[in-house]
Amino acid sequence: MNHLEVFKFCKNLGCCDICCIRYMGYKKYSVYENSKTFVEQYQDAAKDKILCNKDSITSETIIAENNETGTEIMNVCVTNHNLDIKESEKQETINFVDKIIENYEEKSETPPSKKRRLDVCVSCLGVLQEEFWRDTFVDIKDMILKKGYECKTYTCGLSAPISTILREKIITLKIVEAFPEYDPTIYTQLKDAWKMSFRPKVADFIDKSFDLDSPLLIMVHLDYPDDLQELEVLKKVDPGLFENRNKYKRRFPTEFTRQSVEQALEDVKLSNLMSSGAQLTVRGHAQCVSVVGAHAPVYLGGRYIKLSRNLPQTPWILKNVRVLPNSVEEIIFEPLAKLLK
C-alpha cells in the first residue's frame, strides 16, 4: 500500500492530518503526539510530486508605493496550468490583475486582515483538530478548580458524536474503491487517536501530568449539532433493524446507539450509502458540551471506639432539622476527603 497516495486521497476528501494518519494505519503513540512533524514528510513528498508534473506560466507584477509608514509591496501572481491557453483568456487574466492593482492604489489605508477560516475535518468533525481544543481545555480546567481536585495526575476519556462512525465507514469504503489492496480494518479508532494526541496537550494547560493509572478520570463529552439528522440515512440502509427497535421502545429507548449504528454498517456497500443520502458535508465542528470528573473510590477499613452517647454514628437529622452538631462519619471522613482530592 502506498501511504503517500492514501494520504493525498484522504486530504482531497477533506480529512485533517491526524485522520490521514489514522487511515494509513499508524498506531504508535509518538506519531500522534507529534503529528505535525510526522505529516511533513508526506506533505513535502506530495508537493514535490506536484511540482515535477506542473507546467505553468507565471507573470509577476510588483508595485511599490511610498507612503507615510514606508514602502508597501504587493505581489500579484497569475498562474496558468494549461500550455494551450487562448489569447483571449490571457487578456482576461491581465485585465483582472490590472483591476486588482487599481483597487489597491485607490485605497489609502491597509485593509484589515481577515481571520483565517478553519476547515473542519469531514471524518472526525474537529475532534482531532488542535485548533478546536482550547474551549475543551478551559472547560476541563474550570471543572478541576470548581471541584478542587488536587491529584497531580490525570487520565481522560471521550464520548464522541456517533455520526463519526458513519463518516469513517464512508471514507474507508472510498479508500477501498480507489485502492483495492487497502485493508479497511487497519485504521486507528477515533478514541485511540484522540487519547494519544489530546491527552498530552492538556497536561500543560491544567498543570497535571498524564498517567494511565491515575485515580482522577476526566470524561469529555463532545456533541455535533447534526448528529442524529445524519444518522437518519441508516433507516434506509437497514430499515428492518430500526423498525424492530421502534417496536420495542421499552427495550430500546434510544433509537441510535453506537452498537446499532455499527450493526447497520457492518456489511454495507458504498453504493447503498450514497444512494441512501449519506454525505461528508460538514456544518460546524463537534463542541464540548460537558466535562465530568470522577476520582477513583478509596476503601478504608479500621476500628474505633465511641465513648460518648451524644455522638451519633451518622449525621442525625430529624424532620429536616439536625439534632446533634457532629457525627463519627463526619469526623473521620472530612480530613480524609481533603487528603484524597
Side-chain angles (χ1 to χ4, degrees), residues 93-138:
T93 304
I94 293 170
N95 293 338
F96 177 72
V97 173
D98 290 338
K99 192 172 182 180
I100 294 175
I101 295 170
E102 289 174 4
N103 291 336
Y104 178 80
E105 290 176 338
E106 289 174 1
K107 294 181 180 179
S108 58
E109 296 181 0
T110 304
S113 58
K114 293 183 179 179
K115 189 176 181 181
R116 185 171 67 90
R117 185 176 68 86
L118 299 175
D119 293 325
V120 181
C121 175
V122 299
S123 179
C124 69
L125 298 172
V127 174
L128 300 176
Q129 291 179 268
E130 193 171 342
E131 298 87 347
F132 302 117
W133 287 352
R134 182 166 179 80
D135 288 344
T136 307
F137 289 171
V138 172

Side-chain angles (χ1 to χ4, degrees), residues 50-279:
I50 291 171
L51 289 173
C52 289
N53 299 326
K54 182 179 176 183
D55 288 320
S56 62
I57 300 172
T58 304
S59 62
E60 183 175 8
T61 304
I62 302 177
I63 300 172
E65 179 182 352
N66 293 324
N67 55 21
E68 295 177 358
T69 58
T71 302
E72 293 182 359
I73 297 177
M74 176 184 178
N75 295 326
V76 181
C77 297
V78 181
T79 303
N80 175 25
H81 301 285
N82 187 357
L83 289 175
D84 298 327
I85 186 169
K86 296 179 181 178
E87 194 64 34
S88 60
E89 292 177 348
K90 284 185 180 179
Q91 190 59 43
E92 286 178 7
T93 304
I94 293 170
N95 293 338
F96 177 72
V97 173
D98 290 338
K99 192 172 182 180
I100 294 175
I101 295 170
E102 289 174 4
N103 291 336
Y104 178 80
E105 290 176 338
E106 289 174 1
K107 294 181 180 179
S108 58
E109 296 181 0
T110 304
S113 58
K114 293 183 179 179
K115 189 176 181 181
R116 185 171 67 90
R117 185 176 68 86
L118 299 175
D119 293 325
V120 181
C121 175
V122 299
S123 179
C124 69
L125 298 172
V127 174
L128 300 176
Q129 291 179 268
E130 193 171 342
E131 298 87 347
F132 302 117
W133 287 352
R134 182 166 179 80
D135 288 344
T136 307
F137 289 171
V138 172
D139 289 343
I140 291 174
K141 190 168 187 177
D142 289 345
M143 181 275 297
I144 291 173
L145 292 174
K146 185 177 180 180
K147 290 202 171 184
Y149 288 123
E150 296 176 358
C151 184
K152 294 183 179 180
T153 60
Y154 77 97
T155 185
C156 56
L158 171 70
S159 174
I162 302 178
S163 58
T164 55
I165 301 173
L166 171 60
R167 289 171 174 270
E168 286 174 351
K169 188 68 174 181
I170 295 172
I171 292 172
T172 52
L173 290 175
K174 282 181 176 288
I175 297 175
V176 170
E177 186 179 58
F179 308 99
E181 72 280 8
Y182 178 79
D183 181 3
T185 63
I186 68 167
Y187 81 97
T188 304
Q189 294 291 332
L190 175 64
K191 285 187 178 182
D192 294 334
W194 180 84
K195 289 174 182 177
M196 290 185 281
S197 57
F198 179 88
R199 292 190 302 194
K201 296 290 192 302
V202 75
D204 295 334
F205 196 86
I206 63 176
D207 195 24
K208 295 183 185 295
S209 57
F210 171 73
D211 183 357
L212 191 61
D213 299 320
S214 173
L216 177 59
L217 171 63
I218 300 170
M219 196 68 191
V220 177
H221 298 268
L222 302 179
D223 187 35
Y224 180 60
D226 293 340
D227 203 38
L228 296 179
Q229 183 180 343
E230 287 190 5
L231 296 173
E232 286 290 326
V233 300
L234 296 180
K235 293 180 179 179
K236 298 179 182 178
V237 174
D238 193 345
L241 172 64
F242 293 99
E243 285 174 6
N244 187 52
R245 291 180 69 86
N246 285 331
K247 273 185 187 179
Y248 303 98
K249 287 189 176 181
R250 184 174 294 181
R251 184 181 174 188
F252 305 109
T254 305
E255 191 170 24
F256 296 110
T257 62
R258 294 186 182 278
Q259 185 178 359
S260 65
V261 170
E262 288 172 353
Q263 187 177 347
L265 295 172
E266 190 172 359
D267 298 316
V268 72
K269 294 181 179 179
L270 181 61
S271 57
N272 292 343
L273 283 174
M274 295 296 101
S275 61
S276 299
Q279 297 179 351

Side-chain angles (χ1 to χ4, degrees), residues 298 300 327-340:
V298 178
L300 182 65
S327 66
V328 173
E329 179 185 304
E330 292 166 306
I331 292 172
I332 295 176
F333 174 77
E334 287 180 3
L336 290 174
K338 292 178 182 178
L339 182 65
L340 299 173

